[in-house]
Amino acid sequence: MEIIVSISDMKVTTRAKDVLVTHALGSCLGLAVYDPTVGVAGLIHCLLPVARDGAKGPVKNPYMYVNLGVPQMMRAMFGRGATRENMILKAAGCGRMMHISNQFDTGANNFAALKKLLQINEMRLIADDVGGTIPRTMRLFAETGRVVISSCGRSWDL
């Protein structure tokens, strides 16, 4: 069954028949995480790199931000038996949409925020398909951990 992960959303599953899918990865980060030992799969679609401290209270949607959403997804996966040592991480998106090239390069900033977070936690990506100017759809097959990217009528494994 396909389970849609919307923008600023996250889903975790242990059901082998599930396929987690997110669409419209432009400058956003898509991160697929799979633990083959316990069969836990997670997918997040983050819009922005870092939540700024605000005077209006706690962040309403942590999945919007790489620095808050990714750790929260990992905790949800740990709660279902996943371990850091067994996790397989793959990223997509983080493009430069509309050829924007300035300090507001959200795609590059999203990927930098992810790399920093992974470095701090001594984790690494085993594959990524980031940058460029194409929108991507990302599918994570919970039974196998296979990740398929599609864009502009083509599909490829990540």
Side-chain angles (χ1 to χ4, degrees), residues 14 33 52 54 74 93-94 97 108 116-117 125 127-129 136:
T14 55
V33 181
R52 304 285 179 212
M74 298 290 190
C94 301
M97 308 320 289
K116 180 179 178 183
L117 189 61
L125 294 170
D128 66 74
D129 185 359
R136 297 166 175 92

Side-chain angles (χ1 to χ4, degrees), residues 71-122:
Q72 195 153 335
M73 180 176 75
M74 298 290 190
R75 285 190 291 275
M77 294 181 71
F78 295 149
R80 295 184 181 179
T83 62
R84 181 188 338 208
E85 298 76 29
N86 293 327
M87 286 180 163
I88 298 168
L89 289 79
K90 299 179 180 182
C94 301
R96 179 176 284 151
M97 308 320 289
M98 300 181 289
H99 304 284
I100 295 169
S101 182
N102 59 33
Q103 73 270 23
F104 301 112
D105 189 347
T106 304
N109 292 333
N110 280 337
F111 195 55
L114 176 66
K115 289 191 297 187
K116 180 179 178 183
L117 189 61
L118 295 179
Q119 181 180 22
I120 289 167
N121 290 283
E122 298 178 352

Side-chain angles (χ1 to χ4, degrees), residues 21-98:
V21 60
T22 193
H23 302 282
L25 286 169
S27 60
C28 294
L29 166 73
L31 180 66
V33 181
Y34 180 66
D35 183 327
T37 305
V38 293
V40 178
L43 182 64
I44 191 166
H45 185 143
C46 299
L47 181 66
L48 297 169
V50 178
R52 304 285 179 212
D53 292 331
K56 296 182 181 181
V59 172
K60 291 181 181 168
N61 182 356
Y63 307 126
M64 181 180 289
Y65 305 97
V66 174
N67 74 317
L68 298 179
V70 171
Q72 195 153 335
M73 180 176 75
M74 298 290 190
R75 285 190 291 275
M77 294 181 71
F78 295 149
R80 295 184 181 179
T83 62
R84 181 188 338 208
E85 298 76 29
N86 293 327
M87 286 180 163
I88 298 168
L89 289 79
K90 299 179 180 182
C94 301
R96 179 176 284 151
M97 308 320 289
M98 300 181 289

Side-chain angles (χ1 to χ4, degrees), residues 19-20 39 70 107:
V19 178
L20 304 177
V70 171

